[in-house]
Each structure stands twice: as structure tokens, then as C-alpha cells.
Amino acid sequence: MEQLKHECGVAMIRLLKPLSYYEKKYGSWSYGFNKLYLMMEKQHNRGQEGAGIASVCLKKEPGTEYMFREKAEGKDAITEVFSRVTQEMAGELYMGHLRYSTTGKSGLTFVHPFLRRNNWRAKNLCLCGNFNMTNINDVFEFLTLQGQSPRIFGDSYITLELMGHRLDREVERLYEEAKSKGLDSRDITRYIDEHVDMANVLRTTMQHYDGGYVMCGLTGSGEMFSVRDPWGIRPAFWYQDDEMVAVASERPVLQTTFDLRVESIKELEPGHAIIVRRNGECHLEQIMPPQQLSACSFERIYFSRGSDRDIYQERKRLGEQLTPAILKTIDGDVSNTVFSYIPNTAEVSFYGMTDGLRKLNHDVRIEKVVWKDIKLRTFISDKAERNDLAAHVYDITYGSLRPYEDNLVIIDDSIVRGTTLKESIFKILDRLHPKKIVMVSSSPQIRYPDYYGIDMSQLEELCAFRAAIALIRERGMQQLIADTYRKCKEYPDTDNHVRNIYAPFTVEEINCKIVEMLRPDNMQAPVELVFQSIEGLHTACPRHPGDWYFTGRYPTQGGIRLSNQAFVNYVEHNVSSIEF
């Protein structure tokens, strides 16, 4: 309902046979680009701010271009970049990226892939990824202490410069090795191109980082790689046959693009890289020691496409597990209750919820109560009128329930800020005059910012946090804020002290305060919230235990530090309203 900035999406293809093979078999020189386009369109959900592609041709002679890149901004960026593709750009290596900003920075400059040029083919590096680094200040300082001066302060550019620096050192090592073998001239170049050790480059680069990432790259000499963070926070999947190697952020993308069985696709393990060498040899390498698995649960709840076999079942389970709590809110009166969902991402959990009710032998009344219209154009300059337009992004089905007789149970995948509930959803639902509204979230209360890729970094944006602070003030517990602030300042790396803010309150107490805060003036129908439990989340998604959004248990030191800093920022920006 409240649109979050999605994770970015990556797509890579390495053709393993001569280009003439694909033109003869598939009837087109653009086979690689066609497959890359399909992979990117099938991941359009992961990025609608910009898109970029890159390719490398291994057979070009000196004096001709062999490494190509195209980028564009906006929701039609994929179409735009592929409209610029020419036969000259066809090669053996392809890479694509879909961007959602995680830093608030926008513009074509920040659209992936990033390209570092050099006259030595092996020193050319093209990089893209789905990542957010929590310790970018430390990495920037490391680079500057070496004498480098990055042009832009951002994790993408800094990573490009750091990895590019390590790639330079690898090439220089091979140069000396080739000379020691008595090689000279172009034989040295050939030796370098054929012996680049990308695993060594990745190890000496990624050891400096704290964060969640899937980092992908191409070199001008023909190396391709994708590396996943040691905690497995961000997802990556790969497939190989005798014609190609492919990598994507989501499994169904590979299934659809190459018509594969789910069993044929492998997940890239935490801390590992898949590397395809210039000669087409593909292998897996451990780059960093794997840490405690913290695969992102929000990928399963919201970000990834629901067409994945396992994600579909997990989302259904998330809905089904909520049926006992829902029945309690309506006193078991299913016959006088209408069940619905907020379009469109909550649809699958809605199926699970209704399945759960049917398993209890209930005859369920289902209606499509809420409709989501296209985005209304905000061409009106007056702020009040713009807000009024925004409040009508959703509409209702009039007559879908019996006024003052029927309860309305409506499920969403998550409740983050609560703004859309307050400004739109609750207002329009109240027009139907339900006896009671039960707002259900298939995820637990989102209490903490994410620092591994999602744009929700300020504590005060989260309605659960605002509710906890309101309860603290109401109960005269301001000393808890002061104590937490002091711990966050003095011991930022020892523990996530922000968890103390929630400790005195039950989920139900915070629920009630959220309702009080979000309930519009003059609303008639009573409202009750039902959230997924932490236990229910892990039961539904057992292989994705990363739950820091809900519990504050960040898997990395950088996440802990940034959470504490977020609370410090909150207090210092609101000090006039807090009594110490």
C-alpha cells in the first residue's frame, strides 16, 4: 500500500559459444540482448527509476570499441536503452541493472552500470549491483589514505574505484609475471588477459565492506562475476548449460527467460562468487567466510515477485497464520464479515487468509472492496489540493458490504509509515459504513530502518516508532529516551539500544496507539489492527531469518551503528519536545 523503494535488480549473461552459433540457431545476432531484455523486464518490479546495460565483445581488434554501455532514467528506461542497441554492440558478455535509489540521489550519473576506462583491456571494469554499504565512510577514508581522490561520494563510485584499484594491481602483478617468463609486446597482453584472477580482486575488495550486496561486474578482457554478501542478505540465482551462464536477482526470471525447471537453478551461496573466465570456464569461489544466515525476509513478503514457487507458498502461509487472530477481532462472526485486500501485493496473502478460514469450515464472503487507480498527476500547485488528489489514489466498490451490519477485514503486506492509511484508505473505507474495520498486516510491525537497500532510513517515519514514543510521553517515561540516547552516543557498536524504546510495551499496546494516531477525524467505524507475529514470520519463511526491520537484530556491525545513530539524530532534531 505505502510504496517502498524496492531493491535493485541485476541480470547477467555469458554466451559460451561463438556468436555465429546463436545467429544460426536462433536466427538473430541479438540473441544475447533479447534474453537480457526479457530478464530485465521480468524484474521491472525491482527498479523503475533507471536502467542500464553493458556488453563486452572479445573478438574486437585494437582501435575498435569492445566495451559498450547505455543508461537511461524513468519508468521507460528499459525500452529506451534497448532502442539504442546496435549490432556492433553484440558480444559474449552482457549485464543489466534496474535501479531504485537507496540514498536519495537521483540523475543519470547515479544509474548503473558504472564504467572505469583504461587502454589495457584487463583494467577496464564495468560494475553494477543490488547493494547498500553501511560503512562507506570507512572505505572512503581507506581510499584517500592510499592517495586516491574519488570524484563522487557514494558507495557505487567508491566501490568502482576500490575494485578498479585492486584490478590494476592484479594486472600489474601479471605484467611482472609475464616478463619473468620472457614474454614481451602483445604476448604480455595476451598472458594478462588469460590469467586475471578475479577471485583475488574480489577478496581484496570485499573484505573492506559491511552491508548487504550482490555485486556484478565485467572486465574488458572478458571476466564476468557476481558476488554475494557473507550474510546472504541480498538474493542471487544462477544457471549454466553448454550455451550460456546467467545470473539474476530472482529465480522465476531465469525460469521464464530460458524455460527452465526450478530444480535447474541454483542460489548463489553467502560469501561466494560465481566467476566466468575469459575462456568460458565457470566456477564458484568463496570470497568471504559465510556468516550467520540473514537472508532478507522482506524479499519474501514484498520485494520479490510472487511468481516464485516458494515465495508464493510463503505468502499464502503468512495470510493463513493470521486467521485465529482475525477471528478473535470479529468475535467469530464470519457470516457478517467481508474479506478483502489492498491491491496488489497483498493478493497472495489474502488467498492464504481465506484458505485458512475455509479450513475451519467457514463460508467466506469475498469482495474486491479497494481499487488502486493510476497515479494522479500532481499538476496543481496548491499543496492542499495536491494532498486531496493523493487521497484519491485508491477507490472503493460501493455496495460491496451491508452498511452498519458487516465487518470489513482487509489485509495488506505491510504497514510502514501509516500515511496512506490516514490520508486515504481509512477515509474511503468509512464511506461504506462498516460495523468494524480490521486492518491486517501480513508482516510484523516495522520498527527499525533498513540499511541494506531500502529507502526508509528515518525512525520518525515509522508509525510503530511514533506510537512507542507517544506511549513513553503519555506515561511519563521520558527518562527512557534520555537513557537510550546516552547509550547510543557512548556505545554505538555494542548493541542496538533503540530496542529499549519498545521494551516496556506489548504489540497490542502499540497497535492501539497506532490506530489512535492514524484514525482520521470524523471517522465513524471502529478500527483494530492485526499484525503478523515474529514467530509466524519465521514459520512461514524459515530459510530467510533476516528480521531486522521488525526486531532490530541487525546482522552486521554497520547496521547496529546506523540504527543507534538514527536515534541520536531523532533526539537531536526533536530536542525541544523531549524532556530529559
Side-chain angles (χ1 to χ4, degrees):
M1 172 175 45
E2 297 174 274
Q3 188 76 14
L4 290 174
K5 302 285 188 177
H6 292 206
E7 305 296 344
C8 296
V10 297
M12 303 186 80
I13 300 172
R14 171 60 157 92
L15 302 181
L16 300 177
K17 294 183 180 297
L19 296 183
S20 58
Y21 169 90
Y22 303 93
E23 186 166 2
K24 181 177 180 181
K25 181 173 180 178
Y26 299 105
S28 173
W29 62 265
S30 60
Y31 171 81
F33 278 119
N34 293 342
K35 292 301 184 182
L36 186 69
Y37 173 80
L38 186 56
M39 290 174 73
M40 292 177 68
E41 280 290 0
K42 291 299 179 181
Q43 294 182 103
H44 209 167
N45 58 297
R46 301 188 71 89
Q48 297 171 29
E49 291 183 357
I53 60 174
S55 64
V56 175
C57 182
L58 300 178
K59 305 300 182 182
K60 294 292 183 72
E61 291 296 322
T64 58
E65 184 59 82
Y66 53 87
M67 199 168 193
F68 302 88
R69 179 187 61 168
E70 292 289 343
K71 303 194 295 182
E73 288 186 277
K75 61 183 179 63
D76 298 320
I78 299 176
T79 302
E80 183 177 340
V81 294
F82 279 95
S83 70
R84 302 180 200 150
V85 166
T86 63
Q87 187 168 355
E88 180 194 24
M89 298 166 63
E92 292 83 1
L93 288 77
Y94 297 88
M95 181 165 71
H97 185 266
L98 295 144
R99 183 178 191 262
Y100 253 130
S101 169
T102 61
T103 63
K105 296 177 180 178
S106 60
L108 195 61
T109 301
F110 297 98
V111 175
H112 299 206
F114 297 94
L115 182 58
R116 192 174 190 260
R117 288 290 200 178
N118 194 284
N119 273 346
W120 289 77
R121 289 185 65 133
K123 287 187 176 183
N124 284 270
L125 177 64
C126 197
L127 205 62
C128 76
N130 173 17
F131 61 90
N132 199 34
M133 305 305 187
T134 65
N135 67 331
I136 197 63
N137 290 329
D138 298 336
V139 181
F140 182 80
E141 183 178 2
F142 172 77
L143 280 177
T144 56
L145 286 174
Q146 293 186 97
Q148 295 194 55
S149 183
R151 295 181 295 112
I152 296 175
F153 184 85
D155 50 8
S156 300
Y157 269 97
I158 290 173
T159 302
L160 178 72
E161 291 304 322
L162 176 56
M163 191 176 295
H165 172 71
R166 300 313 310 166
L167 182 60
D168 289 347
R169 299 291 82 77
E170 171 67 11
V171 171
E172 289 157 12
R173 179 187 71 81
L174 291 171
Y175 179 85
E176 295 300 326
E177 193 173 282
K179 287 183 64 178
S180 71
K181 294 178 179 291
L183 301 178
D184 60 13
S185 187
R186 291 186 180 181
D187 290 335
I188 292 180
T189 301
R190 280 191 287 271
Y191 182 86
I192 292 171
D193 290 350
E194 293 169 1
H195 290 85
V196 172
D197 185 352
M198 279 308 304
N200 183 47
V201 174
L202 293 173
R203 288 189 184 102
T204 54
T205 301
M206 305 317 298
Q207 65 180 346
H208 296 285
Y209 282 106
D210 178 300
Y213 56 82
V214 170
M215 194 76 65
C216 303
L218 310 175
T219 72
S221 59
E223 304 292 315
M224 184 180 100
F225 66 86
S226 179
V227 57
R228 190 180 183 193
D229 67 81
W231 301 270
I233 295 171
R234 300 271 67 86
F237 298 86
W238 64 278
Y239 168 76
Q240 179 185 9
D241 60 21
D242 63 341
E243 290 188 353
M244 55 88 189
V245 179
V247 178
S249 293
E250 299 189 23
R251 185 169 60 179
V253 172
L254 295 172
Q255 286 185 258
T256 299
T257 302
F258 300 103
D259 190 19
L260 302 173
R261 293 170 56 87
V262 67
E263 294 80 10
S264 301
I265 299 167
K266 298 178 176 62
E267 185 171 4
L268 186 58
E269 294 297 320
H272 285 69
I274 181 169
I275 298 173
V276 187
R277 302 201 62 188
R278 174 184 171 85
N279 62 6
E281 293 179 359
C282 177
H283 65 286
L284 297 172
E285 287 266 1
Q286 180 179 308
I287 303 302
M288 299 288 290
Q291 304 297 312
Q292 182 175 354
L293 180 64
S294 299
C296 174
S297 58
F298 228 119
E299 284 280 355
R300 319 302 282 185
I301 297 168
Y302 179 78
F303 293 123
S304 295
R305 290 166 63 95
S307 57
D308 182 277
R309 180 193 66 182
D310 294 339
I311 291 176
Y312 184 81
Q313 294 302 325
E314 288 169 12
R315 289 181 182 174
K316 288 189 72 175
R317 284 198 295 270
L318 286 167
E320 182 176 344
Q321 289 170 173
L322 290 163
T323 52
I326 292 168
L327 288 170
K328 185 178 178 181
T329 64
I330 59 173
D331 297 323
D333 187 10
V334 177
S335 60
N336 291 308
T337 301
V338 170
F339 294 87
S340 192
Y341 64 93
I342 302 294
N344 291 313
T345 53
E347 185 176 2
V348 178
S349 58
F350 169 75
Y351 295 148
M353 176 181 70
T354 53
D355 283 352
L357 292 165
R358 292 190 184 99
K359 288 179 182 178
L360 297 173
N361 297 317
H362 290 294
D363 186 14
V364 185
R365 294 171 57 198
I366 296 172
E367 301 289 351
K368 185 165 184 178
V369 174
V370 177
W371 298 77
K372 187 172 184 180
D373 293 330
I374 60 172
K375 278 193 173 181
L376 300 174
R377 297 183 183 274
T378 56
F379 56 86
I380 298 176
S381 59
D382 182 79
K383 181 177 180 181
E385 292 183 355
R386 286 204 313 271
N387 290 343
D388 183 62
L389 277 177
H392 291 83
V393 170
Y394 291 91
D395 206 346
I396 51 173
T397 304
Y398 292 95
S400 55
L401 52 82
R402 296 171 298 190
Y404 307 108
E405 295 183 31
D406 288 333
N407 301 306
L408 174 60
V409 173
I410 191 158
I411 191 169
D412 197 7
D413 47 52
S414 59
I415 298 173
V416 186
R417 302 172 183 90
T419 307
T420 307
L421 284 179
K422 183 178 180 66
E423 300 298 332
S424 179
I425 297 294
F426 283 160
K427 289 180 179 180
I428 62 172
L429 292 181
D430 199 46
R431 296 177 186 176
L432 297 173
H433 305 296
K435 185 170 64 176
K436 181 181 187 179
I437 296 173
V438 180
M439 190 73 217
V440 182
S441 170
S442 64
S443 71
Q445 291 175 353
I446 296 178
R447 298 181 169 191
Y448 305 89
D450 176 51
Y451 299 107
Y452 306 120
I454 305 170
D455 186 15
M456 54 174 189
S457 59
Q458 293 184 322
L459 277 170
E460 55 266 39
E461 292 182 354
L462 308 177
C463 62
F465 177 79
R466 298 198 307 272
I469 292 293
L471 288 171
I472 287 171
R473 289 171 174 164
E474 284 180 6
R475 300 182 186 183
M477 301 168 60
Q478 285 88 339
Q479 188 60 43
L480 176 58
I481 297 176
D483 291 343
T484 302
Y485 173 79
R486 177 181 54 80
K487 289 179 180 177
C488 289
K489 288 278 285 187
E490 296 179 5
Y491 310 105
D493 299 315
T494 59
D495 197 7
N496 181 12
H497 307 296
V498 186
R499 298 179 69 191
N500 297 335
I501 295 297
Y502 297 97
F505 313 114
T506 65
V507 170
E508 290 73 22
E509 287 176 306
I510 294 177
N511 281 356
C512 290
K513 181 53 65 175
I514 291 174
V515 169
E516 182 183 321
M517 293 166 52
L518 300 184
R519 183 185 176 88
D521 295 337
N522 304 319
M523 184 176 180
Q524 295 180 4
V527 177
E528 191 166 345
L529 290 180
V530 173
F531 281 92
Q532 185 71 247
S533 67
I534 300 298
E535 296 76 19
L537 170 68
H538 293 311
T539 298
C541 310
R543 292 181 295 171
H544 290 75
D547 61 3
W548 54 90
Y549 317 88
F550 317 114
T551 66
R553 294 193 290 257
Y554 293 93
T556 77
Q557 200 69 37
I560 294 170
R561 187 186 314 115
L562 290 178
S563 179
N564 288 326
Q565 184 60 49
F567 188 78
V568 169
N569 294 343
Y570 168 76
V571 171
E572 293 180 350
H573 294 160
N574 296 273
V575 67
S576 60
S577 62
I578 297 175
E579 299 175 9
F580 291 95

